[in-house]
Amino acid sequence: MCSAEQTINAYGWAATDSSGILSPFHFIRRANGDNDITIKILYCGICHTDFHLAKDELGMTTYPLVPGHEIVGQVTKVGRNVSKFRVGDKAGVGPLVDSCGRCENCDEGQENYCSKLKWIFNGQFEDGLRSYGGYSDKLVIHERYAVLIPDKFPLEGAAPLLCAGSTVYSPMIYFGLAEPGKHIGVVGLGGLGHLAVKFAKAFGMKVTVISTSPNKRNEAVEQLGADAFLVSQDQEQLQAAMGTMDSIMDTVSASHSLLPLVDLLKTNGKLILVGAPVPPPELPVLPLLFGRKLIAGSACGGMKETQEMIDFAAKHNIAADIEVVPMDYVNTAFERLAKNDVKYRFVIDVANTLNPSF
């Protein structure tokens, strides 16, 4: 266990039981080590996963839980072995805080698939300390698990990229979807979906947004720049679009059938799942066999890929569309998030609204 000299005091907001209600919370983090950086947290995005974790709906929560895995802030301290950051730099942290660092996945920059991966919201370190998320004032983390935010990047719009941006960028690169002129369908127009549209357009792809909500046509085409819009409940539209898409990225977490999406793919097409539907959908095997089509899943990117994503986003002016809220609004934000009442991501103004005097 760590001694008092090896820890620092921190504060934030935490859920203490499965009601999912957050309240002010004091806790400790480890002190800055030789390979660590300390970050003053400025902004933190609110992801659907935060809401599910707070209520333990994924069965992996350890209370008390400080959520938050879309973090941007300013580096206030660096360890003597740190080479990537200097005091004053802007840094970003996503869901990952540790991995074994030695396996094949880690060697290839795919720490997100390491069997000993530790998540920021519930990681247990060898020194006995818990990891806590970004709804808090500061964070101490090994430099490997932080990315450098380019100068002049709007930090509040950058925060959701640390999870949502990485989650849509990673499969576009790995599965070879990001080719100019290729046709991609994006299922769902929420936090993940709107960023998938932005990245795909920056890659020069033709983008069709697929949604159950006809009223999202204007925001998809006029606001986000999608080339087309398809109502997934309209059988005539589905029939007309059959076999026209090179790939589809499915960002929806609600239960839905995959068969209509598979039918939209060309021969050799790829359907990539980045949402996690509950209950899981049935697998339409015959259309896969007779079209040599692929259904695959993908999580957030590893650290190398996440840095590449941030650099690409800064170069192409890609930021999340957000609603900035104070820390004490977080429970209301969760309520609205459950109703999909946000376009498209809440971001907490941590630095200006987290009050330590409670």
Side-chain angles (χ1 to χ4, degrees):
M1 296 293 291
C2 286
S3 66
E5 292 76 18
Q6 296 172 307
T7 61
I8 57 175
N9 293 323
Y11 56 92
W13 280 53
T16 57
D17 57 45
S18 60
S19 70
I21 297 173
L22 274 63
S23 58
F25 176 64
H26 284 273
F27 60 101
I28 59 172
R29 295 194 186 274
R30 73 172 186 265
N32 202 95
D34 290 344
N35 299 302
D36 293 334
I37 60 173
T38 298
I39 300 170
K40 176 186 178 183
I41 297 175
L42 302 177
Y43 296 97
C44 186
I46 298 178
C47 176
H48 268 91
T49 305
D50 296 339
F51 173 76
H52 295 310
L53 287 167
K55 291 178 172 291
D56 196 22
E57 292 178 345
L58 303 178
M60 57 189 298
T61 298
T62 301
Y63 295 109
L65 169 82
V66 177
H69 56 269
E70 298 179 339
I71 302 162
V72 292
Q74 186 169 23
V75 177
T76 60
K77 189 173 184 178
V78 298
R80 63 182 178 180
N81 296 335
V82 169
S83 60
K84 192 165 65 173
F85 296 93
R86 296 178 298 178
V87 171
D89 284 343
K90 301 304 189 298
V93 177
L96 320 180
V97 291
D98 199 11
S99 63
C100 78
R102 298 179 299 275
C103 67
E104 182 177 355
N105 283 326
C106 288
D107 287 344
E108 294 178 354
Q110 298 183 128
E111 301 92 343
N112 49 319
Y113 297 117
C114 174
S115 63
K116 296 183 179 179
L117 168 69
K118 292 182 174 64
W119 300 108
I120 192 169
F121 48 80
N122 69 354
Q124 185 79 35
F125 298 110
E126 292 181 0
D127 59 14
L129 285 179
R130 276 270 317 279
S131 176
Y132 294 98
Y135 295 10
S136 56
D137 65 324
K138 63 176 72 74
L139 176 66
V140 180
I141 192 167
H142 191 294
E143 67 165 338
R144 176 173 184 160
Y145 304 98
V147 297
L148 185 65
I149 305 294
D151 291 338
K152 299 181 180 179
F153 201 144
L155 298 181
E156 60 270 43
L161 300 184
L162 276 305
C163 175
S166 175
T167 298
V168 300
Y169 178 91
S170 178
M172 286 186 183
I173 300 300
Y174 179 79
F175 290 103
L177 313 184
E179 296 183 24
K182 291 290 187 178
H183 186 184
I184 186 172
V186 175
V187 185
L189 198 61
L192 289 170
H194 90 287
L195 286 173
V197 173
K198 291 188 177 190
F199 276 104
K201 292 301 297 181
F203 282 123
M205 303 173 72
K206 177 183 177 181
V207 180
T208 294
V209 170
I210 304 167
S211 175
T212 59
S213 305
N215 59 4
K216 289 190 175 182
R217 179 184 300 275
N218 181 68
E219 61 192 80
V221 176
E222 301 299 328
Q223 297 177 30
L224 294 173
D227 299 283
F229 184 86
L230 179 62
V231 180
S232 59
Q233 308 299 324
D234 189 316
Q235 295 304 312
E236 289 187 7
Q237 290 187 27
L238 290 175
Q239 186 69 28
M242 283 182 64
T244 63
M245 300 181 189
D246 298 289
S247 63
I248 295 174
M249 183 170 294
D250 188 347
T251 72
V252 174
S253 294
S255 181
H256 60 286
S257 173
L258 299 183
L259 179 58
L261 302 179
V262 172
D263 287 341
L264 296 174
L265 292 170
K266 297 178 181 178
T267 302
N268 302 318
K270 301 172 183 177
L271 170 59
I272 312 301
L273 309 180
V274 295
V278 178
E282 293 184 4
L283 186 66
V285 176
L286 286 181
L288 299 181
L289 298 178
F290 294 128
R292 199 164 61 186
K293 299 175 183 180
L294 170 73
I295 296 180
S298 183
C300 62
M303 298 315 303
K304 180 177 181 291
E305 213 165 39
T306 301
Q307 184 67 67
E308 291 173 356
M309 178 275 301
I310 283 289
D311 293 340
F312 182 89
K315 180 180 179 180
H316 294 273
N317 298 312
I318 298 172
D321 292 357
I322 60 169
E323 180 179 336
V324 179
V325 298
M327 181 62 77
D328 62 7
Y329 189 80
V330 65
N331 289 311
T332 302
F334 274 10
E335 293 174 2
R336 289 179 54 191
L337 195 62
K339 304 173 185 176
N340 292 317
D341 179 23
V342 60
K343 290 190 174 58
Y344 292 95
R345 209 68 156 186
F346 288 115
V347 173
I348 303 169
D349 182 357
V350 177
N352 293 314
T353 66
L354 177 58
N355 182 4
S357 59
F358 44 71

